[in-house]
Amino acid sequence: SLHHNLSGKYSKMAKQTFIYCSLLAIVIFWALFSSAQKKTLTVELIHHDSPRSPLYNPLHTVSDRLNAAFLHSISRSRYFSTKTDIQSGLIGNSGDYYMTISISTPATKVLAVADTGSDLTWIQCKSCQQCYKQNSPIFDKSQSSTYKTESCDSTACHGLSKDNKGCDESRNICKYQYYYGDNSFSKGEVATETLTIDSSSASYVSFPSTVIGCGYNNVGTFAETGSGIVSLGGGPLSLILQVGSSIGKKFSYCLSHTSSTSNETSFLNLGTNTIPSIPRNGSVVLTTPLVTKAPNTYYYQSPLATLSFCTQEEDDTTTTPGNIIIDSGTTFTFLESGFYGRVVAAVEKTVIRGKRVSDPQGLLPHCFEDKAVSLPKITMHFTGADVKLSRINAFLKTSEDTVCLSMLPATGISIYGNLIQLGFLVEYDLEAKTVSFQHFDCTTHL
């Protein structure tokens, strides 16, 4: 009887120990899993002018590429400054940077524009009513086991602005319509699909039930090599917000100086700890707040990060919060005309041994003869962060002997373009509502 009692006692203890160990193992596994889920995903960004880009045309000259970038930037800036309600993101033509993602089950790879100014990821879909020419096969939703349309009263449909959404009442399918700055447009149905990112840091990572647009009416200046747009904006349906919990609501990118002229690529990080806690090469991390605009402004309609911007000569108390947009899709930097005039006057006053000349391309208004010219160092003063620019950020060599200020005047709008962001690791923290800058070698992936 004693043996039986002891046996039963030890058997019960063994079972309890097993349960405790199992629970501990589950807790440890879940902690490791959660940590793995929040691991930073690193994706290559390919500049459309790069020899690695499918858009690369060896016959295009530096002048051709500069002119295309100029026209694209002007179109984008005009759309930002419109006084009517913004109905979409802002890319209508080729965009500047591309990334590869996979969608559907089984997975289908697509090349799309990475854009911080768009709030819905969309791709061209069969059967197109009218679509722009696409070199790669157009996505066939009927071949996917995970494609599902969204109803007109779904949360996803309500995530679209009133000007962007519609409803096919006969089938109860939510519709989207996006119009871009150059009169291009995309229309189609809203759906959920499995989206997979091929990360150099964590292999393949899939995000099921991601809201996308399946476009079957897409017209305009979209590039033949691209399948659509990957949204990196701040709207509820952007890729960043949809996968936010798994990446800590953080993402960053680093745009290389040489990515448009060589085989070097830039990179995009989705996830936490994207800016190193220990500064590299003495470069400090500079952080400034993101500003949320009122619901009836275009900043709300176009989910773009905005910054407070001022100069040392101005009284900070008179500076309007959120008076400059930071945008990866605009090449040149635009400054409100009054402020631009003061910047130009300061630049011309401090240039040493620099003769004023005209831009051979006839595009940029303030140029100098690039012969032993001494150009000023320009610092962008944001709230709590003074970002020091290198010569390549602020000035652009437009010919063998001409260098021009890579900033342009605009009416009622300022845009922090991607030329001025070259050589910086730029991190968006949507939880803390901040953006950070750090000088970085963008050819070195984190």
Side-chain angles (χ1 to χ4, degrees):
S1 176
L2 178 63
H3 174 77
H4 176 76
N5 289 338
L6 288 173
S7 176
K9 180 180 180 180
Y10 285 123
S11 175
K12 184 177 180 180
M13 290 176 62
K15 289 180 180 178
Q16 289 176 334
T17 302
F18 174 77
I19 292 172
Y20 293 151
C21 288
S22 298
L23 288 173
L24 180 61
I26 291 172
V27 171
I28 293 174
F29 171 78
W30 179 250
L32 291 173
F33 177 77
S34 298
S35 175
Q37 286 294 89
K38 290 190 177 182
K39 185 173 182 179
T40 299
L41 309 177
T42 303
V43 185
E44 285 188 332
L45 293 177
I46 301 175
H47 194 280
H48 69 80
D49 287 336
S50 165
R52 292 188 57 179
S53 168
L55 292 169
Y56 178 70
N57 186 338
L59 299 179
H60 284 174
T61 64
V62 173
S63 175
D64 293 332
R65 292 166 185 152
L66 179 61
N67 188 64
F70 179 83
L71 294 176
H72 169 57
S73 295
I74 292 294
S75 173
R76 200 166 169 94
S77 70
R78 285 175 178 169
Y79 199 53
F80 271 119
S81 61
T82 180
K83 300 304 179 182
T84 59
D85 286 340
I86 295 297
Q87 296 184 9
S88 68
L90 299 159
I91 281 186
N93 54 22
S94 61
D96 277 350
Y97 292 91
Y98 285 78
M99 62 181 285
T100 300
I101 59 172
S102 295
I103 59 169
S104 76
T105 306
T108 301
K109 279 193 174 184
V110 297
L111 184 70
V113 175
D115 183 27
T116 57
S118 292
D119 59 354
L120 178 68
T121 295
W122 65 263
I123 57 169
Q124 292 207 114
C125 291
K126 288 186 177 180
S127 296
C128 278
Q129 294 177 1
Q130 55 176 342
C131 284
Y132 64 88
K133 182 181 178 182
Q134 181 178 313
N135 293 341
S136 59
I138 293 177
F139 174 60
D140 187 351
K141 62 186 180 183
S142 67
Q143 300 301 308
S144 174
S145 63
T146 47
Y147 184 89
K148 181 183 177 183
T149 56
E150 288 290 298
S151 66
C152 298
D153 60 351
S154 65
T155 301
C157 199
H158 288 305
L160 294 169
S161 71
K162 66 178 181 179
D163 294 316
N164 292 143
K165 67 182 174 184
C167 177
D168 182 343
E169 295 182 355
S170 62
R171 297 186 299 158
N172 191 23
I173 293 178
C174 180
K175 308 288 285 296
Y176 79 90
Q177 53 183 9
Y178 272 48
Y179 295 90
Y180 295 89
D182 60 355
N183 296 320
S184 300
F185 62 84
S186 175
K187 300 178 182 180
E189 61 187 28
V190 179
T192 56
E193 181 59 283
T194 295
L195 188 148
T196 303
I197 295 176
D198 182 5
S199 169
S200 60
S201 61
S203 190
Y204 291 94
V205 179
S206 294
F207 299 98
S209 301
T210 301
V211 178
I212 65 167
C214 190
Y216 49 76
N217 191 352
N218 317 297
V219 176
T221 57
F222 302 107
E224 296 178 4
T225 51
S227 300
I229 290 174
V230 177
S231 61
L232 303 176
L237 299 184
S238 78
L239 176 62
I240 298 300
L241 267 292
Q242 288 194 69
V243 304
S245 60
S246 59
I247 63 172
K249 292 188 177 180
K250 290 184 181 181
F251 75 99
S252 67
Y253 52 78
C254 201
L255 308 179
S256 169
H257 290 296
T258 60
S259 63
S260 63
T261 56
S262 71
N263 287 320
E264 296 287 352
T265 60
S266 300
F267 64 88
L268 167 72
N269 287 325
L270 302 175
T272 58
N273 300 321
T274 54
I275 282 190
S277 57
I278 301 176
R280 298 189 179 187
N281 302 322
S283 174
V284 297
V285 178
L286 303 169
T287 302
T288 188
L290 291 173
V291 177
T292 302
K293 286 287 186 176
N296 61 342
T297 68
Y298 62 85
Y299 287 107
Y300 172 81
Q301 298 285 0
S302 263
L304 294 163
T306 58
L307 305 170
S308 291
F309 182 78
C310 60
T311 65
Q312 290 176 323
E313 292 78 14
E314 289 182 317
D315 180 359
D316 288 0
T317 60
T318 64
T319 302
T320 303
N323 59 355
I324 186 168
I325 300 167
I326 178 170
D327 180 37
S328 67
T330 302
T331 305
F332 293 95
T333 287
F334 290 83
L335 301 176
E336 194 279 324
S337 56
F339 177 69
Y340 177 81
R342 295 194 293 274
V343 170
V344 166
V347 168
E348 293 184 347
K349 184 178 179 181
T350 54
V351 168
I352 301 174
R353 297 185 302 275
K355 179 184 176 183
R356 275 293 303 272
V357 295
S358 297
D359 176 16
Q361 317 297 329
L363 303 176
L364 300 173
H366 294 277
C367 303
F368 305 90
E369 190 177 59
D370 192 15
K371 291 182 180 178
V373 63
S374 177
L375 297 169
K377 293 182 179 179
I378 296 178
T379 299
M380 306 296 282
H381 299 283
F382 300 114
T383 301
D386 292 344
V387 181
K388 296 180 179 179
L389 307 179
S390 66
R391 169 171 167 158
I392 200 170
N393 294 127
F395 297 92
L396 184 65
K397 195 174 180 66
T398 60
S399 71
E400 189 63 31
D401 55 2
T402 306
V403 60
C404 302
L405 182 67
S406 61
M407 301 178 189
L408 294 164
T411 302
I413 192 71
S414 293
I415 305 171
Y416 200 71
N418 62 47
L419 282 180
I420 211 169
Q421 298 178 59
L422 295 177
F424 285 91
L425 183 60
V426 183
E427 181 188 68
Y428 298 74
D429 186 332
L430 302 184
E431 188 71 43
K433 295 184 179 179
T434 61
V435 62
S436 301
F437 303 88
Q438 180 186 2
H439 282 285
F440 204 82
D441 179 2
C442 297
T443 62
T444 304
H445 296 185
L446 292 178

